[in-house]
Amino acid sequence: MPNTGKPSSCLIVIFGASGDLTKRKLIPALYDLFVAGQLPEKFALLGVARTQMADEVFRDHLYDWVKKNAHNFDDKTWQWFARLVHYHVGDPTVASSFPDLKTRMGQLALLHGTGENVLFYLSLAPQFYEPVIVHLGYHNMVTEGKAWCSINQAARPWQRIMMYKPFGHDRESAAHLNRVLGRVFEEESIYRIDHYLGKETVQNLLVFRFANAIFEPLWNRQYIDHVQVTAAETVGVERRGSYYDSPSGGALRDMIQSHLLQVMSLVAMEPPVSMRADDLRSEKAKVLQAVREIGPQDVPQMAVRGQYGPGRLGEEPVPGYRQEDGVNPQSPTDTYAALQVWIDTWRWSGVPFYLRSGKRLARNTTEIVVQFKPTPHCLFRAQVACANLQPNQIVINVQPDEGIRLRFEGKVPGLPTNSTADIRSVVMDFNYAAQFHAQPVEAYATLLLDAMRGDQTLFKHREEIDCAWRVVQPVLDTWAGTAPSDLPNYAAGSWGPAAADELLSRAGRKWHQ
Ligand code: BG6
């Protein structure tokens, strides 16, 4: 069962601790957990990186970021928390760094009483994942076997590993990384992060579907016309131009292969037999397994790639993708991708799922739109042209303005006028902030806490990784083999390329704006 109590004592080791993620996200999230009393009784953190720094300098370097990014900062609490934070100079990609690191970890475990439990966090460029995993194994820093022979079965020591995407840059490299991990860690000790699964609204999808009786009976091909999942961003590639323009980048890999297919699998999965991680993850994997293979000949009909050119965001002129720092001026990289997906199951046969994501779009929004079919018969011919009746629609706003909106048709009050205005669409609106008066929790706090507790529910199983790559790989291969002549094909600040609208309009549908 998922463990919802305080996590057992542990040391967190962050490889790549001098990087951005540590100061922007990881440490503020851990600090918030500390304030909330959610960290283990005995806890310590060790940042590892090549930059020369003493513990004190590392803490000072983190201070401003935590002050800015944590939810409940105060200096006194920071002083307490900072005592748990340490730094070790070492190159984690080099074998010779590991004996010293092991000694330092042992010292900290004694100092803070954290025992043998360790959560390793890879906050590194993806090409460094493999050497670090191999070194951890080679230096016997992962003692799974010992765990199973432990005398105290209630407190078996554990070593877990957490990492963010990209998990490979294609299906083969992802499978390779999974094999490397599998030689050192058990699957139940591997925490592959998808920060979308840490978002409140994404988690609420399960509650919405399975803690209510009224939606699930309609959640199928009989009533649903199609589903849209959108992740639109106004930002460009910011300082990540050289990564985004590399073989690991592009919108299809960066957003659809990872986040959007996960969101889709939560929308489409069957009810799991329990909320245990294994049950839930295997239902999600089944959805991905059921996705119909996109043949190379289908790619032009089912996938759209786009790239932004110069444009405007509000009043601000912004450069095109090819003018961004670190980007090849002839780059064919997709900053926008849209995909039509068929899930070949009894529940979803014939219901298209449309996924799209892009940078430098008109608005920041992540949402799921469930579009229902029209009523089977139109009774209101006198009041309204039947074609004007809007089918029901559920919009789940993942961010910002987290909430759920249900659209239905309503009668305009007053005497009948026989005009088309007698029936109009109205909306029932549930808004997180207004309802719960609570700020959604930062995804990293949820994910770090879950990993310390040993709850894998919100992390991806190796099977899900493989299946998601299987879905996008033919599109990636086809795109790689055809030099696009039409890029850039949308202006920054617009809603993306015209071809994405055509993807839906061919079937008489349109994107929710
Ligand atoms: C990351 C992508 O995984 O998600 C980024 O690499 C993207 O390119 C980010 O901007 C979006 O996350 P969020 O939480 O802002 O929707």
Side-chain angles (χ1 to χ4, degrees), residues 226-253:
H226 73 276
V227 177
Q228 301 177 12
V229 183
T230 295
E233 298 181 280
T234 52
V235 290
V237 284
E238 296 179 297
R239 289 165 303 142
R240 296 160 72 224
S242 55
Y243 158 72
Y244 200 86
D245 212 41
S246 76
S248 302
L252 188 60
R253 285 190 177 88

Side-chain angles (χ1 to χ4, degrees), residues 210 292 398:
F210 303 130
R292 188 182 308 166
V398 174

Side-chain angles (χ1 to χ4, degrees), residues 25 164-166 194-196 199 231-233 235-238 240 243-244 250 253-255 258-259 357 359 364-366 398-399 442-444:
K25 299 280 185 188
Y164 189 50
K165 71 177 194 32
D194 185 316
H195 78 284
Y196 268 55
K199 291 183 190 281
E233 298 181 280
V235 290
V237 284
E238 296 179 297
R240 296 160 72 224
Y243 158 72
Y244 200 86
R253 285 190 177 88
D254 187 44
M255 293 295 287
S258 49
H259 309 316
S357 180
K359 297 218 178 269
N364 252 334
T365 180
T366 303
V398 174
Q399 61 187 18
E442 171 60 48
Y444 274 98

Side-chain angles (χ1 to χ4, degrees), residues 396-459:
I396 301 171
N397 273 22
V398 174
Q399 61 187 18
D401 302 329
E402 291 86 347
I404 299 176
R405 292 154 65 90
L406 167 64
R407 183 183 75 192
F408 56 93
E409 299 298 88
K411 180 185 174 308
V412 178
L415 296 173
T417 61
N418 243 354
S419 88
T420 54
D422 281 356
I423 295 179
R424 213 179 290 159
S425 294
V426 292
V427 165
M428 265 165 49
D429 201 349
F430 153 67
N431 179 278
Y432 250 81
Q435 189 71 34
F436 292 119
H437 305 289
Q439 262 184 327
V441 176
E442 171 60 48
Y444 274 98
T446 306
L447 297 171
L448 285 161
L449 181 60
D450 282 354
M452 285 186 279
R453 283 173 172 160
D455 181 351
Q456 291 186 298
T457 311
L458 301 179
F459 297 87

Side-chain angles (χ1 to χ4, degrees), residues 249-267:
L252 188 60
R253 285 190 177 88
D254 187 44
M255 293 295 287
I256 295 190
Q257 184 277 336
S258 49
H259 309 316
L260 269 57
L261 282 172
Q262 277 294 313
V263 173
M264 183 193 86
S265 60
L266 288 170
V267 174

Side-chain angles (χ1 to χ4, degrees), residues 31-52:
Y31 173 85
D32 278 336
L33 290 173
F34 180 73
V35 173
Q38 300 271 23
L39 283 186
E41 224 39 72
K42 310 275 186 192
F43 172 83
L45 181 137
L46 179 61
V48 182
R50 287 180 307 180
T51 315
Q52 291 286 339

Side-chain angles (χ1 to χ4, degrees), residues 378 380-389 409 418-423:
C378 177
F380 302 96
R381 288 181 199 282
Q383 289 97 326
V384 63
C386 285
N388 290 347
L389 282 184
E409 299 298 88
N418 243 354
S419 88
T420 54
D422 281 356
I423 295 179

